[in-house]
Amino acid sequence: HDLHSYAHRTLIVLKTEQYISIYTFAYIDTHTKHTYIHTYTRTWTEVIDNTLNPDFVRKFILDYFFEERQNLRFDLRLEKPLIGIPGKKCGTIIVRAEELSNCRSVMLQFCGNKLDKKDFFGKSDPFLVFYRSNEDGSFTICHKTEVVKNTLDPVWQAFKIPVRALCNGDYDRSIKVEVYDWDRDGGHDFIGEFSTSYREMSRSQSQFHIYEVISFSPSHTHTHTHTKFLPDLKTQINFTVAIDFTASNGNPSQPTSLHYMSPYQLNDYAMALRAVGEIIQDYDSDKLFPALGFGAKLPPDGRVSHEFALNGNPQNPYCSGIEGVMEAYYQSLKSVRLYGPTHFSPVINHVARYASAMTDGSQYFILLIISDGVITDMAQTKESIVNAASLPMSIIIVGVGPAEFDEMIELDGDEERISSQGRYAERDIVQFVPFRDYIDRRGNHILSMARLAKEVLAEIPDQFLSYMRTRGIKPGPLPPPYTTCPPPAIHPLLARRVSRI
């Protein structure tokens, strides 16, 4: 996904008619013994007969939220039971998504003249398949006409289609149209194809356009294939964690400590780390996260550090995924001695050093700081934030425990832009929340973590966009229009009539 496009808080993918049914199921949380009811919306594609490689036309609307994990489940239903080996891979489902633009609809009608004859007995049974080009250069089916039986000069019914389905509001985006001869067994014969764009279709003074249908030379076999979809991130997200190891958290071996490692449930630090990290890691392609600690005495000499690697390797502080960060956090609790004071500026400066080398929009840095108390280097922290505000960087601060967090609230900058020595931060890059405000009173930790993640991540898209806009950084260009590689052979003609609505 292009992060420039997906940084808005609400994103919509594609729109079409859909069949919806609602069903619910219950599950029991094994920790709290509470029962929860989940409601799901079920939507169906159309049925495609006699093929192992279906390309579905029907699209669906989804509201996308950066700060939430939105699980999707795909079920394949067959008209007849499929006999297979349990656990064996049965194929691949390819899903593409793109931010939706609001566009009008267009009425199109096509007719053909002297199309190729593909049937041995009788004439062809032609139909058209429309594809729009995606941002990654691939094509997605967006419309399929009806079949016109036994003719080489078909006239297809006029159809109304949203412009966003054809090109998502980009009038110069390539539209590919393939012509097939329908066969009952699903092995439709390829007749040819042509490419156009919405701007080209709208440009002519006449209501009619003529397109030459191009087929591949006999030495080339035409196939329409997909590659497995991977997000096309033009901006890489880099996520760093910094955890407070000061003595005010209490002895980790005691149940009263905020760092207590209970065998039955996560402590507040672990819940905050998992809640935010599990959302952010989906936007980080390598899922290698630097994990830092501050405010502890390190072995073997008891040196106090405010910027140490949780995995014990300062040359390579990266952990593999959130599970790797959690493991490094637990191991650190067993090896370091909680001490103090509480300094934020060293870990902020640590991330800022990397962000200052990547100001072209190719990378964006997010620092999560989890702490329990009063900041003791407030002046230095303010200066670090003011400096970082001009960099591709955001800071999330989660306060855990019962302490007052007046200093952290001041850093948030929602009420008044933070300043240092007369300099004001260029933009607001800090989001602070006290975890206690989002803890579910019934003990549902899953709900608590979801609430926390939604709150602390909600400002990230706007902060990201504010940096890109102030630097004049725009999303990368779309792929070039589709062209056929094999030597073309000129075949029949297709005429199109368009009327805008």
Side-chain angles (χ1 to χ4, degrees), residues 102-129:
N102 291 321
C103 301
R104 60 193 175 190
S105 295
V106 62
M107 186 72 76
L108 297 173
Q109 184 173 20
F110 284 77
C111 60
N113 181 37
K114 297 181 180 179
L115 298 180
D116 270 358
K117 180 178 180 296
K118 294 295 183 179
D119 293 338
F120 187 76
F121 297 105
K123 300 178 180 179
S124 295
D125 304 317
F127 67 95
L128 303 177
V129 182

Side-chain angles (χ1 to χ4, degrees), residues 156-176:
W156 290 280
Q157 295 178 10
F159 61 92
K160 180 180 177 181
I161 185 171
V163 175
R164 63 169 172 264
L166 288 171
C167 61
N168 200 24
D170 180 0
Y171 292 178
D172 295 311
R173 185 179 294 199
S174 180
I175 301 169
K176 181 174 67 170

